Amino acid sequence: MQESRLNKSMKNTVIGVMGTLLNLLFQFIARSIFIKILGEAYNGVNGLFSSILTILNLAELGFGSAIAFSLYKPLYNNDQKLVTAYMNYFAKVYRIIALIVTIAGIICIPFLQYLINEDLTELPFKLNQLRIYFIFYLANTVSSYLLAYKRTVITADQRSYIVSISDNMSNVIMSIVQIVLLLVFKNFYVFLTAMLARTILNNIVLTFIANKRYPYLSEFKKVELSKEQKKNLFSNINALMLHKIGGVAIFGTISLVISARVGVVSAGIYSNYATIISGVTLLGTIVFDSILASVGNLCVEATDDEKYRIFKRIDFMGKWFAIFCMVCYVNLFNTFINNIWIRSDGAHTFEFAVVVAISLSSYVNFSRKSVLMFRDAMGLFKRDWYKPLIEAGLGIALAIGLSYVWGIFGIILGYTLASIFIAIPIESYVLFKYGLNKGNGMFYTFKQFIRAIFALLLSIGTYYLCNLFNVEGFSDFIVRLIVSFIVSISVTFLLSIRDDNLKYYFRLVKRIFVKRTK
């Protein structure tokens, strides 16, 4: 008997969240030791090279998303030959992409020093070392293209929990190995070696699992897509390519701009905040990723009203999580870094205004996930192909321009304003008009703006409320955590008490509790 979409989504979510929490714990320990032993300069190099390789990953052109979307229907219909045909084509394309990324990365090596706004003589590494470090990062990225493509079929088949288990186990093991190696050798090379080994071994494991679970992938090795199927695939890729470019320009260049305009040390400090955000956001993203394939499966057979009802439920959950996170970010960022994580006197943190800007940026980006998930599941890539170009152009221009006035605060604000005034209106319009057939999404966009303002005011208000307690150290973190939790949950609960979506989640929790009790 087939598992229901709800059961598959819940299994993906629970396993993903549990594994991620364990993974995050070890990641924070590893990064703390990394910064203590090697310093912020190496931390900044880590963020800078990650940004460069994110840009080089443009060569992927959104191919993975297009393949995942194309797999929903044949997996639903158990069309094994068509699934295999897509995967065979996927493997060929990713080998070509790996070659392109390798060549592009090698071309970048002679110019790395121009991306750092400090005198290299003042940094703890030489230029030749910097280039060797980059080669490790490049090898890590290329190896993922050569081995990782089969994880797509597992995720598209609503079994992302398998990928979560493998990823989280390998990350935990890597963090432990990196901690031991750093403590023993105090060397960046051993840290990078562990990173590369983790990527290769994890992808080998996932390839083995995919081959065992989908044995027909080996049976139909010579099956190929027809010209018409390739044409349809590339019609989506043409649009996804532009989305990929926009996504990289917005999310992949922040550390690059900070390093070039302010300095690599500041980029390292920013990466501390980015690490926390990526870890917490990952918990929420797991929920969306866990149900993405189920939404794609739903869109194959559901009516517009059913799609809209599910969208409202998922969007409601996402907004609650985003508001809760922003309140916690504003209140806990600096006290967590200074008193618990890195334990410094403020040398590894930014001022309050920058913290608010980073927190607002995170809220805006996460609040868009429900819309983007449904857009991807419905294959609406071509409807808003122009959006990422406008968003990226405006975001980079504002970030660089405002950096001359407000430094890092201006850089973060520039990217955020582009998302608020370009991305959100266009994404909402496309989904509501062409995906859900529920008008043009103007009212939804207006509500998005109001929620962003509400989240901002609630976060700042909670910050000043926490300051009234006038405590320090670990006690300060505990007080702020309790106050942030109580304020964010109680206020959003009171505002949503009559909302049908909240009632749905109460019924769902009750049903699960009764079922588990029996």
Side-chain angles (χ1 to χ4, degrees):
M1 186 172 140
Q2 271 196 323
E3 288 183 274
S4 68
R5 281 188 291 264
L6 178 61
N7 287 339
K8 286 182 177 179
S9 297
M10 287 183 62
K11 181 188 292 185
N12 292 335
T13 301
V14 171
I15 293 176
V17 168
M18 290 174 62
T20 300
L21 287 172
L22 181 64
N23 178 26
L24 289 177
L25 173 63
F26 282 95
Q27 275 193 12
F28 278 117
I29 296 172
R31 183 171 281 263
S32 300
I33 294 172
F34 178 95
I35 294 171
K36 289 289 185 183
I37 292 177
L38 299 179
E40 285 291 2
Y42 281 98
N43 197 22
V45 166
N46 184 51
L48 173 62
F49 287 170
S50 296
S51 291
I52 295 172
L53 288 165
T54 299
I55 296 172
L56 295 183
N57 282 335
L58 281 172
E60 198 265 351
L61 302 178
F63 205 92
S65 298
I67 287 288
F69 170 72
S70 300
L71 288 173
Y72 292 146
K73 191 170 183 178
L75 283 169
Y76 178 79
N77 295 327
N78 196 30
D79 189 340
Q80 297 180 357
K81 285 192 175 181
L82 184 55
V83 170
T84 306
Y86 276 115
M87 295 305 294
N88 290 341
Y89 192 62
F90 199 9
K92 292 178 184 177
V93 171
Y94 259 33
R95 283 194 286 269
I96 296 172
I97 293 171
L99 178 61
I100 294 172
V101 172
T102 301
I103 295 172
I106 292 172
I107 292 172
C108 289
I109 291 175
F111 306 101
L112 294 176
Q113 64 269 29
Y114 301 111
L115 300 176
I116 297 177
N117 195 34
E118 285 109 338
D119 186 345
L120 282 175
T121 58
E122 299 176 358
L123 297 174
F125 44 76
K126 297 178 181 179
L127 180 57
N128 286 339
Q129 290 176 299
L130 187 71
R131 289 169 175 166
I132 295 173
Y133 299 154
F134 181 75
I135 291 172
F136 272 94
Y137 282 90
L138 180 62
N140 190 60
T141 298
V142 171
S143 66
S144 66
Y145 282 116
L146 294 174
L147 299 167
Y149 70 98
K150 283 191 178 179
R151 69 169 56 212
T152 302
V153 70
I154 300 174
T155 303
D157 196 27
Q158 307 179 64
R159 301 184 187 280
S160 62
Y161 68 90
I162 295 174
V163 177
S164 295
I165 291 172
S166 180
D167 284 347
N168 288 318
M169 284 184 63
S170 62
N171 283 334
V172 168
I173 293 171
M174 181 191 70
S175 295
I176 294 172
V177 170
Q178 286 179 330
I179 289 169
V180 173
L181 292 175
L182 283 172
L183 290 172
V184 173
F185 296 102
K186 296 180 173 55
N187 186 285
F188 195 34
Y189 289 115
V190 295
F191 178 89
L192 297 176
T193 302
M195 176 188 72
L196 179 58
R198 173 260 172 196
T199 300
I200 294 173
L201 293 175
N202 183 39
N203 288 321
I204 289 174
V205 169
L206 286 173
T207 299
F208 175 78
I209 292 172
N211 289 338
K212 291 287 288 184
R213 184 170 286 274
Y214 310 99
Y216 55 82
L217 294 177
S218 301
E219 293 177 16
F220 306 117
K221 283 187 175 180
K222 295 184 179 180
V223 176
E224 295 185 358
L225 294 175
S226 66
K227 289 184 178 179
E228 185 64 27
Q229 288 165 336
K230 290 180 183 178
K231 182 179 178 182
N232 291 335
L233 181 63
F234 274 94
S235 68
N236 283 328
I237 290 174
N238 290 336
L240 281 167
M241 174 180 66
L242 300 176
H243 286 288
K244 185 85 173 179
I245 292 172
V248 167
I250 291 295
F251 303 113
T253 60
I254 296 179
S255 291
L256 191 61
V257 173
I258 292 174
S259 177
R261 288 286 306 121
V262 184
V264 73
V265 173
S266 294
I269 296 174
Y270 171 77
S271 73
N272 296 335
Y273 293 88
T275 297
I276 298 171
I277 289 175
S278 64
V280 175
T281 302
L282 184 59
L283 294 174
T285 302
I286 284 171
V287 178
F288 284 94
D289 288 347
S290 298
I291 60 180
L292 175 58
S294 297
V295 171
N297 184 273
L298 169 77
C299 292
V300 173
E301 58 179 0
T303 64
D304 288 336
D305 288 338
E306 289 173 322
K307 295 174 189 175
Y308 183 53
R309 185 174 67 252
I310 299 300
F311 168 76
K312 289 193 296 183
R313 291 172 181 172
I314 295 173
D315 187 61
F316 176 84
M317 175 178 60
K319 296 300 186 296
W320 257 47
F321 185 79
I323 291 173
F324 171 73
C325 287
M326 182 171 178
V327 173
C328 290
Y329 288 153
V330 170
N331 286 279
L332 299 174
F333 259 149
N334 283 0
T335 186
F336 174 74
I337 294 173
N338 287 328
N339 299 322
I340 297 177
W341 183 18
I342 302 176
R343 301 182 66 84
S344 68
D345 57 355
H348 300 281
T349 55
F350 291 129
E351 60 186 18
F352 179 66
V354 178
V355 172
V356 172
I358 293 173
S359 304
L360 179 62
S361 175
S362 174
Y363 169 83
V364 170
N365 292 330
F366 194 87
S367 68
R368 298 161 54 189
K369 283 190 176 295
S370 55
V371 173
L372 294 176
M373 182 181 70
F374 269 75
R375 183 204 67 184
D376 292 348
M378 293 178 178
L380 300 174
F381 318 114
K382 291 178 283 188
R383 295 293 187 178
D384 62 347
W385 61 269
Y386 53 89
K387 183 264 299 182
L389 300 180
I390 301 173
E391 181 187 7
L394 179 63
I396 294 174
L398 286 174
I400 295 174
L402 292 177
S403 71
Y404 287 94
V405 183
W406 292 316
I408 292 177
F409 174 79
I411 293 172
I412 305 301
L413 183 63
Y415 284 110
T416 306
L417 290 175
S419 297
I420 291 175
F421 293 109
I422 300 297
I424 289 176
I426 294 176
E427 290 164 356
S428 303
Y429 173 82
V430 168
L431 177 65
F432 276 76
K433 184 172 179 63
Y434 300 107
L436 301 174
N437 296 313
K438 298 292 181 183
N440 57 17
M442 290 291 290
F443 181 64
Y444 177 81
T445 301
F446 176 74
K447 288 197 298 183
Q448 285 278 69
F449 293 149
I450 298 300
R451 284 168 176 156
I453 295 172
F454 166 75
L456 179 62
L457 295 176
L458 183 64
S459 301
I460 295 175
T462 307
Y463 175 81
Y464 285 107
L465 175 62
C466 291
N467 286 349
L468 296 176
F469 292 93
N470 194 28
V471 292
E472 297 180 355
F474 183 73
S475 299
D476 182 44
F477 175 79
I478 296 299
V479 168
R480 289 180 181 275
L481 177 61
I482 293 172
V483 173
S484 299
F485 181 84
I486 293 174
V487 170
S488 59
I489 295 297
S490 59
V491 171
T492 49
F493 176 81
L494 290 173
L495 292 175
S496 309
I497 198 163
R498 294 182 178 274
D499 196 305
D500 289 337
N501 296 300
L502 181 61
K503 296 176 183 177
Y504 164 78
Y505 283 109
F506 275 131
R507 292 195 301 270
L508 179 61
V509 171
K510 181 180 178 181
R511 192 172 77 195
I512 294 171
F513 177 75
V514 171
K515 182 178 178 181
R516 296 302 177 191
T517 302
K518 288 183 178 179

